[in-house]
């Protein structure tokens, strides 16, 4: 109790200590200077952001409304033709593009729940006072530092249909040992989701762990005094306490999953057929390998629109709940 | 979203850069003719050389060759710029348009037309004449791969045909010592292997090497990938269906497991699980073969005629904006010298294209495994010459993959791919100006 009372009292003191003078004019000048310094520190990022994010984004938008081709010196404005073509079933691109969007959607729907719930569970376990918690935290985080090329090679060996270690081990315990992990449906999806979870769950785990550490221990104590069991205190204290973190994690995870590229590029080569060819794979192929840059730019803006809408809905949905919880 | 955005922007940035560069560049300086009589006597020049040989023996071999060339030529300094093939594909067109491309480069046969159509390469007719090259100096069909619309844009450097790799130890378990050469003996060998519980040839649905095998078989059955002027896909002809059915039958008849993963078959050959693998000549330098009792042979003749898939690499002279003629002439000298001194190139698992070098008996003495691949060259087929063809070719792999995975019958898979390929070919004509 004493702590809670003193905390607000300490904060203003600190603020006062930071101020150099006492008059309002001085304070305003100090404020302006601080703003200036803040912008100065932000400037390097801002310059990078403008050069490598905003400017190319505008270029991309422009390309998507022209008949841009690397072979012609003049580009003609064609309006929304590139976009309309994506909705025209007779165009070369629409079928493949929407199929790749479908593959992306399947991957998002399959992977996001795993990438949220499994790290949450691990974070809860690691949050207990267990021996060698730091070691386990490192173990779970370790795969995240590997590049996707490394992941592809390692799992390619493990998951080979005939000579992979996994099928061999399954065979030893009497299970089917000819499972086409990287070659045929539905196993390719199991592989892609499994490998992605193994690879990236460490990041979400660490973020959840930070969120858990931020929940006031007194709340658990109070809940226990009110007779709440472990499950009740999980649903009534942990989950509400994690909501802002949850919002961040679901948003970033949806976006990361929607941008899956390397795993299917390296492990399944988009196969069987084009089943696991994701939108990013298709856009990159069309734009960079096949010189269809204008349609590819249009595709990437459609993908962008989809993801923007999903993020917005996610944000609204979860923010309201955050506010309601706070109220 | 952020990442997608950034990626989209990355593409956009690349494109934007291109726009900016071409904006200043225009299309000047693309038709300068250059003479090279094998020797360059102009002022001293530095020339840059781009290539994608970043693996195997090449990273030590190429600098050695260049060093030797530089020491023998007072007025030419070649600068070696190796990078991944993928990077070359992404960078070189824009670099050439900006006048920052190399003075000489090596490209794969199936890229030549795409570059030529974009006016990124110098007309090499005079260079070729100056150096004294003609189609007869190379295996049949290779020199022609550098011809786009009646103009020669490239000089052959190496060829890489498919062959039959045999694990002799596995083969002997079925009591067979002779490597099969035709459909009858090949099927007999597979049947004998099946009798001792070995699946003799593992067939895969990926570019390496299911697609190469399919294309070889297609030609063997008398078909072709596209019609004469590459306006229509013909790989779904009877020959194509026969070829693909032969491959799916390997699984059906129990000669191959289903669902072979990428590279699963070469791994199986090395691990002694299978006897045959159709693979490229580049595997002859695979150090994993060192402890194996193996042999290479021409691919067996399954169809009605002899045929085999082969890739090729070629020298090209980029049409940089404001290209210095002296540099191109020096580059021509370099190309001639490299071809004349390409005997050592076999070290990388590629066959030197120049006949006089390849047919020198010491080459086979040094690299005996190359003999069967050299024997194949008289009936080898090379990749289709047409701008943007890679996009249509990718559909063939998808069809093979679908058929081998049992998603579609060979006929269905090839018909679907051909329909789509026709669309792509039409689109390419519009895109590259037919």
């Amino acid at each position: 109790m004493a702590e809670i009372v003193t905390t607000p009292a300490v904060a203003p003191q600190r603020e006062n200590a930071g101020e150099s003078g006492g008059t309002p004019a001085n304070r305003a000048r100090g404020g302006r200077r601080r703003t200036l310094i803040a912008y100065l520190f932000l400037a390097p990022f801002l310059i990078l952001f403008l050069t490598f994010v905003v400017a190319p984004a505008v270029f991309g938008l422009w390309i998507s409304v022209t008949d841009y081709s690397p072979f012609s010196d003049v580009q003609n404005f064609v309006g929304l033709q590139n976009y309309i073509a994506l909705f025209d079933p007779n165009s070369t691109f629409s079928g493949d593009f929407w199929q790749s969007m479908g593959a992306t959607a399947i991957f998002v729907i399959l992977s996001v729940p795993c990438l949220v719930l499994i790290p949450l569970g691990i974070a809860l376990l690691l949050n207990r006072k267990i021996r060698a918690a730091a070691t386990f935290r490192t173990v779970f985080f370790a795969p995240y530092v590997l590049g996707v090329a490394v992941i592809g090679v390692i799992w390619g060996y493990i998951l080979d249909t005939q000579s992979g270690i996994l099928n061999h081990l399954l065979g030893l315990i009497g299970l089917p040992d000819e499972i086409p992990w990287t070659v045929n449906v539905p196993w390719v999806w199991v592989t892609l989701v499994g490998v992605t979870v193994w690879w990236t769950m460490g990041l979400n785990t660490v973020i959840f762990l930070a969120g858990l550490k931020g929940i006031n221990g007194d709340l658990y104590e109070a809940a226990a005094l009110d007779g709440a069991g472990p499950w009740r205190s999980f649903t009534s204290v942990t989950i509400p306490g994690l909501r802002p973190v949850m919002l961040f994690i679901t948003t970033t995870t949806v976006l990361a999953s929607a941008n899956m590229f390397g795993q299917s590029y390296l492990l399944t080569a988009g196969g069987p057929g084009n089943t696991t060819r994701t939108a990013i794979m298709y856009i990159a192929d069309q734009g960079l390998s096949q010189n269809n840059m204008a349609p590819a730019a249009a595709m990437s803006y459609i993908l962008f629109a989809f993801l923007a809408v999903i993020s917005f809905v996610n944000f609204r949905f979860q923010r309201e709940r955050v506010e309601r919880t706070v109220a | 979203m952020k990442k997608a955005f950034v990626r989209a922007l990355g593409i956009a940035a690349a494109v934007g850069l291109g726009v900016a560069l071409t904006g200043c560049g225009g299309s000047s300086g693309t038709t300068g003719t250059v003479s090279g009589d094998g020797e360059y006597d102009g002022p001293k020049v530095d020339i840059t050389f781009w290539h994608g040989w970043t693996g195997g023996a090449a990273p030590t071999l190429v600098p050695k060759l260049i060093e030797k060339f530089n020491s023998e030529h007072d007025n030419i300094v070649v600068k070696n710029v190796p990078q991944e093939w993928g990077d070359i594909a992404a960078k070189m067109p824009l670099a050439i348009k900006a006048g920052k491309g190399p003075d000489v480069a090596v490209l794969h046969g199936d890229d030549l037309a795409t570059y030529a159509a974009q006016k990124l390469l110098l007309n090499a007719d005079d260079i070729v004449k100056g150096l004294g090259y003609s189609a007869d100096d190379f295996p049949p069909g290779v020199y022609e791969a550098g011809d786009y619309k009646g103009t020669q844009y490239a000089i052959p450097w190496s060829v890489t045909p498919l062959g039959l790799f045999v694990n002799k130890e596995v083969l002997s378990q079925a009591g067979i010592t002779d490597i099969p050469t035709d459909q009858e003996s090949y099927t007999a060998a597979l049947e004998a292997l099946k009798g001792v519980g070995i699946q003799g040839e593992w067939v895969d649905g990926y570019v390496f090497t299911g697609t190469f095998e399919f294309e070889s078989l297609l030609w063997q059955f008398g078909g072709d990938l596209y019609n004469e002027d590459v306006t229509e896909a013909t790989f779904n002809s009877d020959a194509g269906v026969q070829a693909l059915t032969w491959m799916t039958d390997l699984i059906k008849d129990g000669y191959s497991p289903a669902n072979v993963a990428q590279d699963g078959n070469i791994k199986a050959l090395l691990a002694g699980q299978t006897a045959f693998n159709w693979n490229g000549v580049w595997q002859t330098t695979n150090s994993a073969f060192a402890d194996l009792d193996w042999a290479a042979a021409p691919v067996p003749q399954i169809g009605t005629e002899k045929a085999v898939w082969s890739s090729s690499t070629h020298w090209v002279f980029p049409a940089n904006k404001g290209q210095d003629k002296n540099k191109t002439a020096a580059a021509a000298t370099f190309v001639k010298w490299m071809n004349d001194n390409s005997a050592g190139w076999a070290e990388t698992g590629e066959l030197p294209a120049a006949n006089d070098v390849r047919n020198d008996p010491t080459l086979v003495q040094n690299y005996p495994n190359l003999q069967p691949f050299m024997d194949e060259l008289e009936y080898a087929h090379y990749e289709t010459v047409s701008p943007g063809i890679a996009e249509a070719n990718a559909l063939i792999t998808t069809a093979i993959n679908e058929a081998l995975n049992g998603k579609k019958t060979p006929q269905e898979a090839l018909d679907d791919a051909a329909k789509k390929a026709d669309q792509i070919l039409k689109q390419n004509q519009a895109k590259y100006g037919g």
Side-chain angles (χ1 to χ4, degrees):
Chain A
M1 227 25 210
E3 255 181 55
I4 294 168
V5 177
T6 49
T7 313
V10 170
Q13 273 174 5
R14 278 198 193 135
E15 217 171 89
N16 284 343
E19 291 286 339
S20 48
T23 68
N26 266 355
R27 217 174 285 165
R29 205 177 303 142
R32 258 206 305 278
R33 200 177 63 212
R34 268 210 305 244
T35 316
L36 199 71
I37 290 173
Y39 279 130
L40 249 155
F41 274 107
L42 287 174
F45 176 76
L46 198 67
I47 291 166
L48 290 177
F49 180 77
L50 288 175
T51 326
F52 292 106
V53 179
V54 176
V58 174
F59 257 128
L61 201 60
W62 176 73
I63 286 164
S64 75
V65 292
T66 63
D67 61 351
Y68 180 88
S69 153
F71 323 121
S72 60
D73 295 327
V74 243
Q75 285 79 41
N76 302 306
F77 179 76
V78 296
L80 294 177
Q81 206 175 297
N82 288 320
Y83 292 89
I84 294 165
L86 293 178
F87 295 94
D88 172 7
N90 294 322
S91 83
T92 346
F93 306 108
S94 70
D96 284 340
F97 174 65
W98 290 107
Q99 193 216 16
S100 72
M101 289 288 275
T104 305
I106 292 174
F107 182 74
V108 169
I109 290 165
L110 292 176
S111 69
V112 171
C114 300
L115 283 167
V116 173
L117 296 178
I118 295 174
L120 177 60
I122 294 172
L124 286 171
L125 291 176
L126 288 177
N127 197 35
R128 296 171 168 221
K129 290 193 171 61
I130 54 167
R131 228 181 271 177
T135 313
F136 278 108
R137 211 160 52 212
T138 315
V139 167
F140 285 114
F141 193 76
Y144 189 72
V145 304
L146 299 176
V148 71
V150 180
I151 306 286
V153 172
I154 295 175
W155 284 96
Y157 271 101
I158 297 176
L159 296 172
D160 190 282
T161 317
Q162 285 83 16
S163 56
I165 303 157
L166 183 59
N167 276 345
H168 181 68
L169 292 176
L170 289 176
L172 286 183
I173 55 169
L175 292 169
D177 62 354
E178 291 259 292
I179 295 174
W181 293 108
T182 57
V183 184
N184 221 330
V185 281
W187 306 105
V188 282
W189 291 117
V190 178
T191 296
L192 292 174
V193 171
V195 167
T196 307
V197 167
W198 175 82
W199 182 30
T200 62
M201 70 177 174
L203 182 71
N204 285 357
T205 305
V206 167
I207 298 170
F208 270 129
L209 208 51
L212 288 172
K213 302 261 189 233
I215 298 173
N216 193 330
D218 295 345
L219 293 174
Y220 288 104
E221 212 173 293
L225 285 176
D226 286 342
W231 176 250
R232 186 61 208 267
S233 70
F234 173 71
T235 54
S236 298
V237 180
T238 311
I239 292 293
L242 281 180
R243 273 211 177 122
V245 174
M246 195 70 96
L247 170 65
F248 174 77
I249 286 188
T250 38
T251 309
T252 52
T253 308
V254 166
L255 300 180
S257 287
N259 287 312
M260 196 268 277
F261 173 83
Q263 295 94 308
S264 59
Y265 186 76
L266 294 166
L267 282 170
T268 66
N274 289 325
T275 314
T276 57
R277 181 167 66 177
T278 62
I280 294 283
M281 248 172 108
Y282 184 64
I283 292 171
D285 179 57
Q286 287 299 317
L288 298 178
S289 304
Q290 316 302 349
N291 292 316
N292 298 319
M293 285 189 185
M299 288 176 215
S300 59
Y301 271 91
I302 294 209
L303 177 65
F304 165 71
F306 264 89
L307 296 178
V309 168
I310 292 170
S311 302
F312 181 73
V313 169
N314 184 30
F315 233 82
R316 279 308 283 264
F317 179 64
Q318 299 214 28
R319 194 184 57 190
E320 266 163 33
R321 285 171 59 180
V322 170
E323 278 162 2
R324 221 181 305 145
T325 325
V326 170
Chain B
M1 180 174 71
K2 226 184 282 164
K3 266 194 200 158
F5 200 56
V6 170
R7 284 221 179 88
L9 298 172
I11 295 173
V15 172
L17 187 66
V19 174
L21 299 174
T22 48
C24 336
S27 56
S28 58
T30 51
T31 48
T33 50
V34 197
S35 66
D37 52 359
E39 279 312 317
Y40 169 76
D41 49 11
K44 186 173 176 178
V45 285
D46 287 7
I47 59 172
T48 46
F49 167 37
W50 286 19
H51 60 82
W53 298 310
T54 53
T60 49
L61 197 56
V62 177
K64 238 188 264 171
L65 283 167
I66 289 176
E67 203 180 311
K68 186 147 184 270
F69 173 85
N70 285 344
S71 70
E72 286 177 18
H73 294 78
D74 294 337
N75 51 356
I76 307 174
V77 179
V78 178
K79 206 175 132 221
N80 182 28
V81 188
Q83 49 197 316
E84 300 286 329
W85 287 116
D87 290 342
I88 290 184
K91 285 198 299 206
M92 199 150 95
L94 293 177
I96 293 173
K97 290 204 168 192
K100 295 182 190 308
D103 301 296
V104 60
V106 168
L107 289 177
H108 281 106
D110 52 346
D111 286 329
L112 293 174
T114 311
Y115 275 82
Q118 296 175 61
K119 300 186 173 61
L120 295 172
L121 303 179
L122 289 176
N123 174 341
D125 279 333
D126 291 343
I127 298 176
V128 171
K129 215 183 289 166
L131 297 179
Y133 282 126
S134 74
D136 299 338
D137 295 321
F138 306 100
V142 184
Y143 180 82
E144 291 80 351
D147 180 297
Y148 177 64
K149 292 192 167 177
T151 303
Q152 190 70 22
Y153 287 98
I155 297 169
W157 163 243
S158 71
V159 288
T160 54
L162 202 68
L164 183 70
F165 286 78
V166 185
N167 186 323
K168 283 164 79 176
E169 203 190 314
V170 175
L171 193 62
S172 67
Q173 288 172 28
I176 298 169
T177 45
D178 291 340
I179 294 171
T181 54
D182 55 15
Q183 175 158 27
E184 202 184 332
S185 56
Y186 195 65
T187 313
L190 290 173
E191 191 59 37
L193 287 159
K194 191 180 162 188
V196 293
I198 294 164
Q199 292 173 311
E201 187 209 322
W202 295 20
V203 65
D204 75 16
Y206 299 95
V207 179
F208 291 85
T209 54
T211 305
F212 305 151
E213 180 170 351
F214 166 77
E215 294 184 6
S216 302
L217 291 167
L218 168 76
W219 287 311
Q220 287 192 358
F221 282 109
D224 209 341
L225 292 166
Y226 304 96
N227 64 354
E228 184 81 23
D229 51 359
V230 201
T231 51
E232 200 185 320
T234 55
F235 51 73
N236 62 335
S237 60
D238 286 349
V241 176
Q242 269 178 297
L244 190 49
T245 307
W246 186 83
M247 288 170 75
T248 54
D249 279 352
L250 289 176
I251 299 173
K252 203 179 79 188
D253 296 338
Y255 301 143
S256 165
N259 298 312
V260 173
Q262 222 167 167
D263 296 331
N265 41 20
I266 183 82
K267 285 185 210 161
L269 187 85
L270 293 168
Q273 292 171 291
T274 188
F276 303 120
N277 178 219
W278 297 44
N279 218 314
V281 61
W282 53 84
Q283 291 287 3
T284 54
T285 53
N286 185 341
S287 57
F289 277 105
D291 303 328
L292 212 63
D293 183 14
W294 68 285
V299 297
Q301 186 191 335
I302 305 298
T304 48
E305 52 196 88
K306 282 184 181 235
V308 66
W309 171 93
S310 179
S311 181
S312 54
T313 65
H314 303 252
W315 298 98
V316 294
F317 305 94
N320 285 298
K321 180 191 154 217
Q323 176 67 25
D324 182 342
K325 286 184 184 181
N326 284 330
K327 288 190 174 190
T328 304
T333 305
F334 173 62
V335 167
K336 172 83 170 140
W337 186 92
M338 285 291 275
N339 269 4
D340 290 346
N341 290 275
S342 61
W345 195 245
E347 185 75 39
T348 63
E350 295 184 5
L351 300 177
N355 284 342
D356 53 351
V357 174
R358 201 182 57 257
N359 293 336
D360 185 329
T362 53
L363 187 87
V364 182
Q365 275 164 24
N366 292 335
Y367 307 98
N369 294 322
L370 297 181
Q371 185 62 55
F373 297 93
M374 289 172 24
D375 295 343
E376 286 179 318
L377 291 181
E378 54 185 302
Y379 52 83
H381 290 244
Y382 298 88
E383 291 151 308
T384 311
V385 180
S386 176
I389 198 67
E391 189 176 4
N393 285 342
L395 298 165
I396 300 172
T397 302
T398 307
I400 296 167
N401 189 291
E402 287 168 338
L404 291 178
N405 283 318
K407 297 275 169 291
K408 291 177 183 168
T409 65
Q411 181 81 59
E412 277 168 1
L414 291 170
D415 282 349
D416 289 353
K419 206 172 130 207
K420 193 81 210 294
D422 285 346
Q423 262 184 313
I424 302 281
L425 295 176
K426 216 165 153 192
Q427 183 181 296
N428 281 345
Q429 279 191 315
K431 203 158 77 182
Y432 299 91

